Structures are given as structure tokens and as C-alpha cells.
Amino acid sequence: MSDQRGQFSSKIGFLMAATGSAVGLGNIWGFPTQAASNGGGAFLLAYLVLAFLLAYPALVAELVIGRHARANIVTALDTLGENRATKGLGRAVGYYGVLVASLILSFYAIVAGWMLAEFGKPLAQLLGWQGAADWLASDALGRNLLVCGLFTAATVAIIAKGVENGIEAWSTRLMPLLFLILLGLILYVFTQPGAGEGLKNYLIPDFTQLTDPGLLLSAMGQAFFSLSLGVGTMLIYGSYLRKTDSLPRLGAAVTLLDTGIAFTAGLLILPTMYVAQAQGIAIYSEGGDLLAGPGLIFQVLPALFSTMGGAGIWLSIAFFALMSIAALTSSISMLEAPVSVVTERTRLKRTGAAWTIGLLIFAVSTIILLNMSTLFDAAVSLTTEYSQPLLGIALCVFVGWIMRRNQLLNELKAGHRDIEHSLFWKIWPFYVRLVCPVLILLAFIQSLR
Ligand code: TRP
């Protein structure tokens, strides 16, 4: 059984896949405006520190569990337990985690579908298919179902091809493309009037805003979502790593790449927003906050692109290709969590498991689409605000308290020979035992208020 398991063929393959999971809609539509509204450069600095203090140790914890057990989250947590109670608890946490991953995917695919529609719209215009372009721009249920279904099918098709030919192959193709599009767009936007002001707003630090503890805690939550933690995504990617790779080093690289791309996305988003403002487009909400999320992506940007004539069409194709790619490399990592559980614990083969689970997830997306006003926000907060932090705490507890200490240390040593002399070695074990669970709990309580 174990020799049939997939494996990443190289470190780069893992890095592309894990960074692809981390870099998603959250990095592009959430992070930049949050930074600009909360102290600019000062927030960036604080975010970087927090990402390394809180999210990074939890990420290494997931990688350690995954590679140690060489299994999906349910089986992995089950084998860590020493008695019936901890084994049962492990399976329960595991099943809950993949359920949360599936629910996240069911609303993520809806939003990703909108990105596909916005990508298709200018293409249809270029081809002279005005009717199709208008339909893609509408908010009809049929259009939402079609684009969400297409996106889910693309996710399933990649996962059905397995770790090396699916996840790794597509991440290594798409991530460099994502980065190139991002850089190209930044270079173009920098030449437009108003861009400088956006850059100033984004980068000039205002340290007085950092005294608010609520802000720091919400930045921790953002870091947690951005690194895809708690639901077994990083755990399963870790299980496909070879024993010759160093988990602390790879984890640090993923954290740096994720924060680096979030930062770089800000170099695009803030200048673009101020270019839009220079064209007379409103970029602040009525409450005086910078627009973020759907308001930013589906109102401000299309309004800006439509003032730019021919260039606008190409910009809009490039921008929504960027968003669709970012979403796709994240969604495949979400789907891999339940698919790996089913293929490793039942007789179902990967292809069958991927399509079955994909269909179930699409059914949930359909239910959400039919009840958008009540179910969408509920699904988002149930998963990202409540479940993810609690699952994160559970995983830290498993590594810190239930996994045997020598197993843990051996896993860290594998692929990292001189680790015993490092700072990481001295701090991390204590960190996941106590500091991480307490910090995550604090962030969680804060988010309830
Ligand atoms: N990190 C991704 C983003 O920033 C989303 C994501 C992918 C995710 N896999 C996840 C979030 C698992 C939570 C859990 O958009």
C-alpha cells in the first residue's frame, strides 16, 4: 500500500504545490487592503513577524505529522494515538478537518467561478460574441452554476491525475505563470497616473495603529487562513515529501513565499485602486474603509478596465487569469484532503473518489448558490473563523502532547543533519506544546467578540 503512495518528485515540486495552496484569493483581495487600512508598512512588518511566530510553527507541525505517518489526516492522527481514546479523538479531528476543507471548497469554487466568468467576458468581447459577454457579466443562477461547475471540474480533473502528474505538474506550470502575470501587471500599472499615491498609502508605516491588540490578533487569523492550516491540506502535502527533505526549511520557504506574494499583490492592488480613483471611481465604502473582497474585484477593477479601452480588455484578461490560477492551485489542495482520506481508507480508486467527492461538493455549492444571502457568509464564518483555529489548536496538541517526543525529534532530524544546533530545535518543541495553542486560542476568542 505505502509504496503505491504518490510523492513529490522534487523539492521545487513541493514548494510550488504548497505555495500554490497558500497563495489564493485571500492573498490578493484581502491582504493588501487590510495592510493599507491598518498602518501600511508597519502592518506588513507585524504581519511578517506574526506569520513566523504563529503560523510557521503550526505549519511545521502539520508537515511533521504528515510525513511521519505517511498518510491522510484521519489515518495519521489515528496512528499517533497510543490508546483507544486518543485514537478515536484523532479520527474525529481528522474527519472534521476534511469536512471543513470540503465546505471551504464549496464556497471557494463559487467565487473562483466568478473569476472564470470575468476572465471569459473580455475573451467573448474580443471574439465579437456580445451576447455571451453580457450573459457572463450577468448574475443569473445558470451562469453561476455553470462557471462554478467548470471550476470544480477542473479541480477534480487535476486531482484525479494524482500527486506527481496532477498536483505537482500543474502547480509547477501555473505558479511561475501567476508570478509573471503579477509582475507584468505591476509594471503596467506603475506607469499610470495615481499609482504613486497608492504606493504611498500601502507602504508608508504608521506605527501608532499597531497598538491595537485586536488588529494583531486578526492579522494572526489572516496568516492562518493564508497558510491553509488546520484542515489537513499541508499535512497531506507533507506526507508526500521524501525523508531527505528538511521540514523546518521547506516550511520557512513556503511561509516566506506566501507572505512575499501577498506583499507583491499589494504592489498591484493599491496602485490600481488609486489609478481608479484618479478616474473618478469610488474606492472607499460609505463607512470610509478601502473597498476589499468582492467590492474591489468585481466593481472597482472592472470599472477601471472599462475606462481604458483596448488596453483594458487585455488587462482584464490578465488580471482574471491571475485570480483564476491563484484559486485553482488552492482548490486542488483543498480537494486532496478528502480524496486522500477516501482512497487510503476505502477501496475506491483515486479517479472515482475525486469525481464522487467533487460532485458532492458541487451539490453543496449549488445549495449555497440557491440561498446565497443566508448560507454564503454562514459557511465562511463556520469554517474559517470557528473551525480552522480550533482544528489548528488540536493539531498542535497532537504534535506537542500526544506524539512521542523521540518520534517528533527524529522526524525533524530527517533531511536536516545539523538541526540539533539550531535555534529552531531549542524553541519549536516547546512552542507547539504551549505557545501556539494559547496564541491561537487568544486569536479565536478575540474573533468571537
Ligand atoms: N490559502 C488560500 C488563500 O489564501 C486558501 C486555502 C487553500 C485554504 N487551502 C486551504 C484555506 C485550506 C483554508 C484551508 O486563499
Side-chain angles (χ1 to χ4, degrees), residues 29-40:
W29 86 12
F31 179 82
T33 36
Q34 200 187 355
S37 315
N38 294 301

Side-chain angles (χ1 to χ4, degrees), residues 64 68 79-80 82 402-412:
V64 162
H68 173 72
T79 49
L80 285 190
E82 304 257 89
I402 295 177
M403 191 170 180
R404 270 193 259 125
R405 203 175 154 79
N406 64 333
Q407 294 179 327
L408 184 71
L409 298 182
N410 281 338
E411 202 51 59
L412 289 179

Side-chain angles (χ1 to χ4, degrees), residues 39-296:
F43 181 89
L44 292 173
L45 205 68
Y47 181 81
L48 194 67
V49 172
L50 289 174
F52 270 91
L53 280 188
L54 178 86
Y56 168 64
L59 169 63
V60 177
E62 276 202 37
L63 297 178
V64 162
I65 300 178
R67 194 176 64 174
H68 173 72
R70 288 234 172 280
N72 63 82
I73 184 170
V74 175
T75 309
L77 295 182
D78 180 328
T79 49
L80 285 190
E82 304 257 89
N83 54 43
R84 276 180 65 184
T86 44
K87 278 177 175 299
L89 181 69
R91 285 195 304 273
V93 169
Y95 281 120
Y96 185 55
V98 294
L99 209 65
V100 171
S102 312
L103 191 54
I104 294 181
L105 180 52
S106 69
F107 70 75
Y108 207 82
I110 294 177
V111 181
W114 296 338
M115 303 295 169
L116 276 187
E118 293 287 340
F119 171 69
K121 191 176 72 181
L123 283 180
Q125 278 168 341
L126 276 181
L127 293 168
W129 300 346
Q130 198 51 44
D134 290 343
W135 186 70
L136 283 172
S138 76
D139 195 29
L141 181 64
R143 168 260 200 189
N144 287 338
L145 283 173
L146 179 79
V147 286
C148 171
L150 273 179
F151 181 83
T152 311
T155 305
V156 171
I158 295 177
I159 287 304
K161 290 191 81 84
V163 180
E164 217 184 307
N165 298 326
I167 299 174
E168 178 172 349
W170 280 97
S171 303
T172 27
R173 272 174 216 153
L174 292 176
M175 289 309 287
L177 185 62
L178 177 140
F179 201 68
L180 283 180
I181 299 177
L182 184 60
L183 287 186
L185 283 170
I186 291 174
L187 290 180
Y188 180 80
V189 166
F190 275 13
T191 64
Q192 301 295 306
E197 200 191 334
L199 214 52
K200 262 194 242 156
N201 252 286
Y202 180 44
L203 296 177
I204 291 184
D206 173 5
F207 284 94
T208 58
Q209 296 211 21
L210 285 189
T211 48
D212 175 10
L215 180 67
L216 294 180
L217 290 172
S218 85
M220 289 204 273
Q222 160 90 18
F224 219 74
F225 179 81
S226 189
L227 279 174
S228 316
L229 295 178
V231 301
T233 291
M234 290 299 182
L235 190 152
I236 192 69
Y237 277 14
S239 82
Y240 300 139
L241 267 171
R242 294 171 305 193
K243 291 277 182 197
T244 46
D245 296 323
S246 156
L247 300 181
R249 283 196 190 122
L250 285 175
V254 172
T255 311
L256 264 182
L257 282 167
D258 180 48
T259 27
I261 293 184
F263 169 74
T264 313
L267 298 179
L268 171 66
I269 296 296
L270 269 301
T272 305
M273 290 179 88
Y274 282 81
V275 171
Q277 192 182 38
Q279 300 293 324
I281 298 164
I283 62 168
Y284 288 91
S285 71
E286 283 174 9
D289 299 321
L290 269 178
L291 285 174
L296 164 66

